[in-house]
């Protein structure tokens, strides 16, 4: 605009140049001429063409208005009412009209600031500009994350949303490893996904090898002692990102969004599918996928993503093509060493004739015959308490697995689980009944009033039933009163009145005790010289 203003002052500005500027800016030609006229009157108008020139007394957004916008979640009408009420109390100047307040907010606040005041930092982050990291080379950086699938899957007769744990390569957008868990994931899920990511054998290859760095988002499963120790043994750096910063691991976050829109949305049981009616629930007659079928379909989609899908950042290549075109050498780990590093170390044990004692249970294996008495090192997978892995304590050689001795059958385990579920339902029902209290509705300020009247007889009957279950109330304290204490003891008057006179009282005398008869006055008589001697 300043260049056009200089050309106009020199008399060299033509209509064709103004028309070309208007076409580039997407405005009308007369708007450019109006901007030039405003810039001649005020130099400040040349810095912001199209904006209204500042004038004394124009309303601007103050810190008070910002605070009220944050308080009322961006509701301008509520802010206007609050400013009007404060002006009526003499706490400031009257506000302008609501349209003027709207224009001032749009002029003085950026879209990110308006979104942040209305929806918080996460809403404001959508208007930020983020820098893209360099692509790098394969296995330079991996990113990992948990994701709860938005699909209901049948697991042991119940509808559950499984969790997906995967590792992605930032340079090629390839999914190097994946693990699916019916329930909440744990460090075992991370270790299973890590093993499938590192191994390049079938069916995991050709992606894999050891990465140089793995980015995690401060999850306790990824930062557990077992996972960090395994990555440290494999010489892999763990980069712990700050909390609530998903943009710092955009590769795996983009994968989380892609799998839902490209795969999960077409499956039966998708929980975010628009439903008719007020309640967004899946139809009762809908047939859900089994957990095994869901896992098979997810792995097929993962292979499609790696071999056929062409992400935009790869510029027409598939992750497999980008991986194969990268000449960076790979670091492989033998499968035997990988199984040694990933389980958690439980220390050394002695192999006895009953097997190996671990967590107060015995584990046995066929290879233990003739080896009782040796020192072994136990490693185990978290939450897999049915089997442990055994290594020689001195040489570190793998000896074999050991299974839990006297393990319950599947029918017994199912019966125990059903009993536990029934007990939980009964307890939950009792707790809800005890908390279910109703209060009277009021239309004037008043103290809350509980509903549900009881007669005196009903109250006494319910108290009697509750007292019948309290062991402290069932104790018969006055049936056998305590005996009188020895004469050498200082007894309070309240306790002396409750004691039973005339009963023999044991007097402590080191290792033995002597029975003392109380005197006629209720006091304890002193033992005679013959009684003080030791008795056989």
């Amino acid at each position: 605009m300043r260049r056009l203003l200089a050309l106009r002052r020199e008399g060299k500005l033509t209509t064709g140049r103004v028309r070309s500027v208007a076409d580039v800016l997407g405005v009308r030609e007369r708007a450019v001429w109006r901007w030039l006229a405003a810039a001649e009157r005020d130099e400040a108008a040349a810095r912001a063409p199209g904006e209204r020139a500042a004038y004394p007394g124009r309303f601007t957004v103050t810190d008070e208005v910002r605070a009220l916008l944050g308080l009322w979640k961006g509701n301008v009408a509520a802010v206007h009412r609050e400013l009007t009420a404060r002006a009526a109390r003499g706490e400031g100047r009257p506000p302008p009209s609501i349209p003027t307040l709207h224009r001032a907010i749009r002029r003085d606040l950026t879209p990110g600031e308006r979104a942040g005041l209305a929806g918080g930092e996460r809403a404001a982050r959508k208007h930020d500009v983020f820098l893209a990291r360099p692509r790098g080379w394969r296995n330079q950086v991996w990113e990992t994350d948990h994701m709860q699938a938005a699909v209901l899957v049948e697991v042991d007769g119940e509808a559950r949303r499984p969790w997906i744990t995967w590792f992605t390569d930032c340079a090629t957008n390839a999914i190097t490893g994946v693990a699916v868990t019916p329930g909440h994931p744990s460090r075992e899920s991370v270790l299973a996904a890590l093993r499938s990511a590192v191994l390049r054998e079938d069916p995991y290859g050709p992606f894999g090898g050891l990465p140089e760095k793995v980015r995690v988002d401060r999850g306790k499963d990824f930062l557990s002692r077992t996972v960090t120790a395994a990555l440290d043994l494999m010489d892999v750096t763990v980069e712990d990102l700050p909390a609530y910063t998903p943009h710092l691991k955009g590769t795996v976050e983009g994968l989380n969004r892609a799998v839902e829109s490209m795969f999960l949305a077409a499956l039966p049981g998708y929980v975010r599918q628009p439903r008719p009616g007020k309640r967004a629930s899946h139809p009762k007659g809908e047939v859900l996928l089994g957990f095994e079928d869901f896992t098979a379909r997810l792995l097929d989609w993962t292979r499609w993503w790696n071999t056929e899908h062409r992400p935009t950042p790869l510029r027409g290549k598939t992750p497999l093509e980008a991986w194969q075109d990268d000449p960076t050498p790979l670091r492989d780990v033998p499968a035997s060493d990988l199984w040694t590093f990933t389980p958690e170390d439980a220390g050394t044990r002695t192999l006895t004739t009953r097997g190996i004692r671990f967590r107060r249970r015995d584990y046995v294996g066929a290879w233990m015959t003739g080896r009782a008495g040796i020192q072994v090192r136990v490693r185990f997978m978290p939450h897999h308490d049915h089997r442990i892995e055994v290594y020689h304590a001195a040489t570190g050689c793998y000896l074999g697995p050991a299974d839990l001795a006297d393990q319950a059958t599947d029918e017994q385990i199912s019966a125990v689980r059903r009993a536990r579920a029934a007990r939980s339902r009964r307890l939950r029902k009792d707790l809800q009944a005890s908390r279910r209290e109703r209060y009277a509705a009021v239309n004037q300020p008043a103290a809350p009033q509980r509903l549900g009247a009881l007669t005196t007889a009903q109250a006494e009957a319910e108290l009697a039933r509750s007292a019948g279950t309290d062991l402290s109330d069932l104790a018969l304290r006055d049936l056998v009163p305590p005996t009188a204490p020895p004469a050498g003891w200082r007894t309070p008057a309240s306790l002396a009145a409750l004691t039973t006179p005339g009963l023999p009282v044991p007097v402590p005398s080191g290792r033995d005790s002597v029975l003392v008869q109380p005197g006629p006055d209720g006091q304890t008589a002193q033992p005679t010289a013959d009684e003080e001697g030791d008795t056989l």
Side-chain angles (χ1 to χ4, degrees):
M1 185 58 64
R2 290 182 178 179
R3 177 60 178 168
L4 294 179
L5 185 60
L7 291 176
R8 181 173 183 176
R9 290 174 178 175
E10 295 175 0
K12 299 180 181 180
L13 184 62
T14 60
T15 305
R17 185 182 293 273
V18 174
R19 186 178 299 111
S20 62
V21 171
D23 293 339
V24 171
L25 297 178
V27 297
R28 297 183 179 181
E29 180 181 349
R30 62 181 182 179
V32 179
W33 287 110
R34 187 168 60 249
W35 295 348
L36 287 173
E40 286 185 346
R41 295 191 301 267
D42 187 6
E43 288 287 343
R47 294 192 298 268
E51 287 191 4
R52 295 186 178 184
Y55 57 88
R58 184 178 71 173
F59 180 81
T60 58
V61 176
T62 61
D63 294 339
E64 181 185 15
V65 176
R66 286 174 176 267
L68 291 177
L69 283 173
L71 176 64
W72 293 103
K73 304 299 181 183
N75 191 337
V76 181
V79 173
H80 186 270
R81 290 194 299 267
E82 185 71 21
L83 292 176
T84 304
R86 292 185 180 184
R89 296 194 300 265
E91 299 178 0
R93 298 174 56 185
S97 62
I98 292 183
T100 302
L101 185 58
H102 271 287
R103 285 195 300 269
I105 291 174
R106 288 194 301 266
R107 180 185 66 244
D108 297 341
L109 299 181
T110 63
E113 290 176 329
R114 296 197 298 269
L117 292 174
E121 183 180 356
R122 182 172 297 181
R125 195 182 297 133
K126 297 180 180 179
H127 299 270
D128 294 343
V129 177
F130 304 99
L131 298 177
R133 293 191 181 98
R135 300 300 299 178
W137 54 90
R138 63 181 183 181
N139 283 354
Q140 180 193 14
V141 179
W142 285 1
E143 292 179 355
T144 180
D145 194 15
H146 293 309
M147 175 198 174
Q148 189 177 20
V151 173
L152 291 175
V153 176
E154 184 179 355
V155 180
D156 292 337
E158 297 182 2
R160 295 185 180 181
R161 293 176 56 185
W163 285 80
I164 306 172
T165 305
W166 40 29
F167 287 81
T168 60
D169 181 60
C170 296
T172 62
N173 282 57
I175 302 175
T176 57
V178 62
V180 188
T181 312
H184 288 280
S186 62
R187 50 190 175 172
E188 185 265 340
S189 307
V190 180
L191 294 176
L194 179 61
R195 279 195 301 273
S196 66
V198 172
L199 289 176
R200 295 201 302 127
E201 304 171 353
D202 291 335
Y204 308 111
F207 309 97
L210 291 179
E212 300 179 13
K213 182 189 297 184
V214 175
R215 293 195 186 106
V216 300
D217 58 353
R218 195 164 290 186
K220 63 178 183 179
D221 301 329
F222 299 102
L223 297 178
S224 62
R225 181 180 58 184
T226 307
V227 177
T228 54
L231 293 174
D232 185 59
L233 289 173
M234 291 183 289
D235 194 19
V236 178
T237 304
V238 179
E239 182 180 357
D240 184 16
L241 300 176
Y244 305 105
T245 54
H247 58 281
L248 296 181
K249 52 182 182 65
T251 304
V252 71
E253 292 292 342
L255 178 61
N256 291 338
R257 293 189 296 268
V259 70
E260 180 169 352
S261 60
M262 301 174 67
F263 171 66
L264 299 178
L267 297 180
Y270 181 60
V271 297
R272 297 192 178 96
Q273 187 72 27
R275 309 285 185 185
K278 298 181 179 180
R279 180 172 298 179
S281 60
H282 67 282
K284 294 183 178 179
E286 187 176 15
V287 179
L288 303 178
L289 292 176
F291 178 73
E292 184 177 358
D293 191 9
F294 171 78
T295 305
R297 295 193 184 192
L298 177 64
L299 294 180
D300 290 340
W301 182 85
T302 302
R303 283 188 288 270
W304 172 85
W305 174 278
N306 287 337
T307 58
E308 300 181 24
H309 179 56
R310 302 179 186 274
T312 303
L314 299 184
R315 299 180 180 180
K317 292 184 179 181
T318 64
L320 178 60
E321 294 173 350
W323 182 275
Q324 293 175 344
D325 293 342
D326 194 334
T328 305
L330 302 175
R331 296 188 301 158
D332 290 328
V333 178
S336 58
D337 294 344
L338 188 61
W339 276 99
T340 303
F341 293 158
T342 50
E344 186 170 345
D345 188 4
T348 59
R349 300 288 193 280
T350 300
L351 179 59
T352 64
T353 55
R354 299 181 57 183
I356 298 175
R357 190 71 175 175
F358 175 63
R359 290 184 174 177
R360 296 181 296 180
R361 295 189 291 185
D362 295 326
Y363 290 81
V364 295
W367 56 269
M368 295 181 180
T369 304
R371 297 189 179 185
I374 65 173
Q375 293 290 322
V376 296
R377 180 170 293 275
V378 175
R379 292 181 177 271
F380 68 99
M381 289 297 298
H383 311 291
H384 286 235
D385 51 1
H386 62 281
R387 171 174 291 187
I388 59 176
E389 306 294 333
V390 186
Y391 299 80
H392 198 280
T395 62
C397 296
Y398 178 64
L399 298 178
D403 296 323
L404 180 64
D406 193 21
Q407 186 173 356
T409 62
D410 295 339
E411 293 77 7
Q412 291 174 333
I413 295 176
S414 300
V416 171
R417 289 176 177 173
R418 288 194 300 269
R420 290 177 179 176
R423 181 184 60 188
S424 300
R425 287 194 299 268
R426 289 195 302 269
L427 179 60
R428 192 182 306 113
K429 183 178 180 179
D430 293 341
L431 293 177
Q432 290 177 355
S434 64
R435 291 195 302 263
R436 190 181 297 120
E437 294 183 353
R438 297 186 180 275
Y439 293 86
V442 297
N443 50 22
Q444 296 292 335
Q449 180 182 358
R450 287 190 177 92
L451 298 180
L454 289 176
T455 64
T456 304
Q458 291 174 338
E460 291 178 352
E462 187 165 350
L463 290 176
R465 287 195 301 269
S466 62
T469 60
D470 193 351
L471 296 180
S472 61
D473 294 339
L474 295 177
L476 302 178
R477 303 182 183 87
D478 300 333
L479 183 60
V480 181
T483 58
W489 289 12
R490 182 174 299 176
T491 308
S494 58
L495 180 60
L498 299 176
T499 58
T500 302
L503 294 179
V505 182
V507 179
S509 59
R511 188 175 56 184
D512 302 322
S513 299
V514 179
L515 295 179
V516 181
Q517 295 290 341
D521 56 352
Q523 298 295 328
T524 304
Q526 298 296 327
T528 61
D530 296 336
E531 295 173 343
E532 291 181 355
D534 294 337
T535 59
L536 296 178

